[in-house]
Amino acid sequence: MTQHRKSIHGEWSSRLAFILAATGSAVGLGNIWKFPYITGENGGGAFVLVYLLCIALIGIPIMMAEILLGRRGRQSPINTMESLAEEAGRTPHWRLLGWAGVLGGFLILSYYSVIAGWALAYVVQTADGLFTGASAERVKTIFDDLVTNPGRLLFWHTLFMTMTMTVVARGVQSGLEQAVRFLMPTLFVLLVILVGYSMNTGAFAQGLDFLFTPDFHRLSWNSVLIAMGHAFFTLSLGMGAIMVYGSYLPKDASITQASFYIAGADTLVALMAGMVIFPIVFSNNLEPGAGPGLIFQTLPIAFGQMWGGAFFGTLFFVLLVFAAWTSSISLIEPAVAWLVENHSVSRVKASVVSGFVTWLVGVGTVLSFNKWSEVTFFGKTFFDLLDYITANIMLPLGGLAIAIFVAWLMKKRTAREELALPKGPGYSLWYFLIRYVSPAAVLIVFLNVIGVFKLG
Ligand code: PFF
């Protein structure tokens, strides 16, 4: 019987370990780097509101579904989807959903690693005191010098990929469980300190206003798609990362509670990052829509001026690297688990192979910031295109397929058994959201963006 399966890769030592690991996957560059810059590019408050609605109405229900699939299947997402489809009397082609996830993970990690490389470079630069007393223009010059230099970017990208694959090769439980237990609380404390700094910039109210006062004139359907895509990205949904973590989850742990903790912590970190960054942006007359370089051009200004800034700044970028690190291992874990299961290779070999392929694709992103910056596809650079396709298309479609499978194709009893929710309003609400609301929302947003019909 499927419910007695155990993963061949082992199990988390406790429910807390799972929550920390999944939070480690969720909290990453998405919260601290991406959320502020896409909020800046998409006009602020209204975008944030849509994002929060997507987390509550689509993200949390799909996270519960993804974890329950993983725990039921107990294998890599490809094999999990195949065996659960068989269990439900459906076509084994559902394994393609697992394949799409593996592909998505490769593509995301390829550029994620390049950006994490920027953070690594900033650890060294901040520790060197490069930003001490620096003006906003000087900070921008330092950023431009980094990203226009392919050799330097390649060096940091290579280092970060090596760090990631080393952890993955050693197995998720040992190094990782320990690391997140310490890192996540420390990151949080540092963010609190930075919020304290931002409160004294003189533009805190303006920052909050930008973040929380919705102005719907600034919201397009494409912005809604980006907000929805980001809800998937930030919660690591729609590509099997949370599914594979769920497959290592002990049988008696509550999936519902865990999902709320993970989503809550993730949202809090993103909002705090916004509260740190926008006041600094406005008090230095910077542009909130500056794009991917935003935090790298704003935070160093704060660190350059505050007491002990070189120390706190270095610590901050170290933690940003750690946050990215705990996410990146979850991006590649579905592929590695599958290679181990189906090709009887060791974890080490599986990690080297998948890491190399990812690194190679990442070279495209490295070049898109300099030598290939003029090379565009559909008006987007290689990096922008990868980011757009993965976050805004692949993850929501993956999430849609998960919702359809769990709410429409799987036996109702199976889902209830895994969630272990008593019959009542909580279960009914989840079922309603996953069966109707999440799929409809994803579809409506998509159809609007591709112009099949127009709402407003
Ligand atoms: N959730 C991560 C972040 O916000 O940085 C990124 C991510 C990790 C996306 C794992 C998808 C994933 F499967």
Side-chain angles (χ1 to χ4, degrees):
M1 283 299 292
T2 30
Q3 56 265 51
H4 298 307
R5 270 190 205 136
K6 260 193 178 269
S7 167
I8 61 163
H9 310 282
E11 265 189 9
W12 303 112
S13 61
S14 63
R15 183 184 70 132
L16 180 67
F18 165 73
I19 292 179
L20 286 171
T23 307
S25 167
V27 174
L29 295 175
N31 306 62
I32 298 166
W33 160 72
K34 196 170 180 193
F35 173 72
Y37 97 74
I38 56 176
T39 299
E41 284 181 336
N42 290 280
F47 177 84
V48 174
L49 189 66
V50 176
Y51 158 77
L52 292 175
L53 281 175
C54 289
I55 295 276
L57 299 180
I58 310 178
I60 295 178
I62 291 189
M63 175 174 283
M64 290 166 64
E66 202 171 324
I67 300 174
L68 85 81
L69 287 177
R71 190 169 67 182
R72 184 83 180 178
R74 293 267 184 230
Q75 301 156 79
S76 70
I78 297 173
N79 293 330
T80 283
M81 286 314 301
E82 182 170 325
S83 58
L84 293 186
E86 270 166 20
E87 187 187 19
R90 309 287 168 181
T91 160
H93 290 322
W94 274 95
R95 79 171 85 80
L96 288 177
L97 178 57
W99 275 110
V102 166
L103 178 67
F106 272 125
L107 297 178
I108 295 176
L109 183 55
S110 75
Y111 71 79
Y112 203 84
S113 164
V114 176
I115 310 294
W118 295 1
L120 274 173
Y122 268 59
V123 170
V124 178
Q125 294 184 342
T126 316
D128 266 356
L130 207 60
F131 298 114
T132 309
S135 63
E137 293 92 84
R138 169 93 186 109
V139 170
K140 183 170 179 344
T141 311
I142 295 172
F143 175 74
D144 290 341
D145 283 348
L146 174 68
V147 296
T148 51
N149 186 328
R152 282 177 71 195
L153 290 189
L154 198 60
F155 171 78
W156 295 113
H157 165 53
T158 309
L159 181 62
F160 186 79
M161 274 311 299
T162 311
M163 286 162 52
T164 300
M165 299 329 292
T166 309
V167 176
V168 177
R170 297 174 60 168
V172 187
Q173 291 95 330
S174 41
L176 206 73
E177 264 194 45
Q178 254 50 10
V180 283
R181 219 178 273 272
F182 160 75
L183 291 172
M184 289 302 153
T186 317
L187 182 74
F188 189 75
V189 170
L190 267 173
L191 274 175
V192 172
I193 295 177
L194 283 172
V195 171
Y197 171 84
S198 267
M199 283 176 149
N200 292 310
T201 51
F204 194 64
Q206 202 184 344
L208 287 191
D209 187 50
F210 181 75
L211 207 51
F212 294 116
T213 310
D215 173 359
F216 288 97
H217 299 296
R218 305 174 82 165
L219 198 70
S220 64
W221 273 100
N222 199 44
S223 299
V224 176
L225 176 69
I226 293 173
M228 183 178 79
H230 188 63
F232 281 95
F233 184 88
T234 192
L235 295 178
S236 306
L237 296 177
M239 57 139 289
I242 288 293
M243 197 187 293
V244 84
Y245 275 19
S247 73
Y248 311 142
L249 181 63
K251 183 87 199 94
D252 51 355
S254 158
I255 292 178
T256 312
Q257 246 181 27
S259 303
F260 274 92
Y261 286 140
I262 300 162
D266 187 78
T267 307
L268 193 63
V269 171
L271 293 179
M272 285 173 70
M275 287 190 236
V276 170
I277 284 144
F278 290 112
I280 301 177
V281 167
F282 293 122
S283 62
N284 288 282
N285 295 319
L286 298 169
E287 195 24 69
L294 184 66
I295 70 157
F296 295 94
Q297 295 170 29
T298 50
L299 291 182
I301 302 173
F303 293 129
Q305 288 165 2
M306 70 199 259
W307 178 87
F311 174 75
F312 286 121
T314 308
L315 203 55
F316 178 83
F317 284 113
V318 168
L319 285 163
L320 186 58
V321 168
F322 282 133
W325 202 0
T326 52
S327 300
S328 60
I329 50 172
S330 72
L331 280 161
I332 201 84
E333 179 65 18
V336 170
W338 177 79
L339 281 172
V340 171
E341 284 166 14
N342 286 43
H343 292 273
S344 331
V345 289
S346 64
R347 269 192 89 89
V348 175
K349 203 163 172 190
S351 306
V352 172
V353 173
S354 48
F356 178 73
V357 177
T358 314
W359 176 86
L360 207 59
V361 183
V363 176
T365 291
V366 163
L367 296 175
S368 74
F369 289 105
N370 34 72
K371 290 200 168 19
W372 291 357
S373 60
E374 304 299 317
V375 182
T376 55
F377 317 84
F378 307 105
K380 295 186 186 307
T381 64
F382 185 78
F383 158 73
D384 287 333
L385 189 73
L386 272 192
D387 178 34
Y388 192 88
I389 291 179
T390 50
N392 303 334
I393 300 177
M394 293 182 75
L395 299 186
L397 282 186
L400 174 65
I402 288 168
I404 290 176
F405 186 82
V406 169
W408 293 88
L409 302 179
M410 213 164 124
K411 293 201 178 65
K412 225 174 151 177
R413 197 173 45 99
T414 316
R416 275 210 47 207
E417 232 171 69
E418 285 300 329
L419 287 184
L421 276 179
K423 261 207 172 112
Y427 175 77
S428 305
L429 178 64
W430 172 77
Y431 194 67
F432 177 72
L433 289 174
I434 194 94
R435 193 169 161 91
Y436 302 107
V437 178
S438 322
V442 174
L443 275 177
I444 290 173
V445 176
F446 262 114
L447 296 180
N448 249 289
V449 170
I450 58 175
V452 173
F453 68 91
K454 280 272 162 244
L455 275 179

